[in-house]
Amino acid sequence: MIFKSLIYQLKRLYIIKSKGGVVYARRIGVKVGQGCRLYTTRYGSEPFLIEIGDRVTITSGVILLTHDGSTWLIRDEKGRRYLYRKIVIGSDVFIGVNSIIMPGVVIGNNVIVGAGSVVTKSLPSGVIVAGNPARIIGRYDDYKNNVLEQYVSDKDIDKTIPYKERILKVLDSTIKKELI
């Protein structure tokens, strides 16, 4: 049993490292659109219940849950109870590190989920959410306009010099304000 599990894990890692997270997700049954970057492998025990749109980034440590495991506590003469629900993620979505997406959640288009968020309810298009439980903290269009005005573009980065040097050349050294 341990040997079988080890072989499975090695195969999974090989697929992820050699072919990428999108290939892995599709291979286990996740429906994945075009232009995605998937850095998680935590699709739960029902990956076939997950749909991901186009140009979605799901960062490392993100967990997508498609069932409520606590129902195993509830039983009567008919036996245990089960709850399975789909997760649907729209297009142009970014899900930050170590976030959790709960069963039955639908995420609209143009959405940013902040790192460490626990998404317990569906999200409309065009929002930025963060927290536990996740709450709307901003609008996608406001963020987009700010990024277009103030952030470094592809054309601003000299790709003819080594990576570290090019990053240090465009580094923003601003320190964030302290909490009060």
Side-chain angles (χ1 to χ4, degrees):
M1 186 65 171
I2 293 172
F3 182 72
K4 204 173 193 178
S5 177
L6 180 61
I7 295 297
Y8 170 79
Q9 292 299 330
L10 289 172
K11 282 182 181 178
R12 183 177 67 86
L13 288 172
Y14 172 75
I15 293 167
I16 294 164
K17 291 294 182 190
S18 66
K19 301 186 183 195
V22 171
V23 170
Y24 172 73
R26 286 181 177 145
R27 187 164 288 177
I28 64 169
V30 178
K31 184 188 269 185
V32 182
Q34 299 301 308
C36 294
R37 302 181 312 159
L38 305 179
Y39 301 105
T40 191
T41 58
R42 300 169 86 181
Y43 299 102
S45 52
E46 302 84 29
F48 52 88
L49 294 178
I50 300 171
E51 297 178 20
I52 299 171
D54 299 328
R55 297 169 306 282
V56 172
T57 298
I58 300 178
T59 57
S60 63
V62 171
I63 302 171
L64 293 102
L65 296 173
T66 54
H67 67 272
D68 181 346
S70 68
T71 61
W72 83 275
L73 295 170
I74 311 303
R75 59 182 66 79
D76 59 12
E77 66 282 349
K78 291 170 66 176
R80 279 184 53 194
R81 295 302 190 264
Y82 301 87
L83 175 69
Y84 301 98
R85 289 187 176 155
K86 287 186 170 190
I87 292 175
V88 178
I89 300 169
S91 294
D92 300 302
V93 172
F94 179 89
I95 302 177
V97 170
N98 294 332
S99 293
I100 300 171
I101 312 300
M102 298 300 286
V105 165
V106 174
I107 298 176
N109 300 319
N110 299 315
V111 171
I112 297 171
V113 176
S117 297
V118 178
V119 181
T120 60
K121 295 181 179 175
S122 293
L123 305 176
S125 293
V127 296
I128 301 169
V129 301
N132 179 6
R135 303 258 188 254
I136 295 173
I137 62 167
R139 298 280 166 208
Y140 180 87
D141 286 340
D142 295 337
Y143 176 74
K144 178 181 175 181
N145 291 334
N146 184 48
V147 168
L148 289 172
E149 288 176 16
Q150 299 189 21
Y151 287 33
V152 176
S153 72
D154 276 332
K155 290 189 177 189
D156 297 328
I157 297 174
D158 181 358
K159 303 227 172 120
T160 64
I161 59 177
Y163 180 76
K164 182 177 178 181
E165 191 177 329
R166 82 175 85 133
I167 297 305
L168 291 173
K169 200 170 184 179
V170 297
L171 177 67
D172 180 346
S173 296
T174 306
I175 303 298
K176 294 194 174 201
K177 294 179 184 178
E178 289 183 352
L179 286 175
I180 299 175

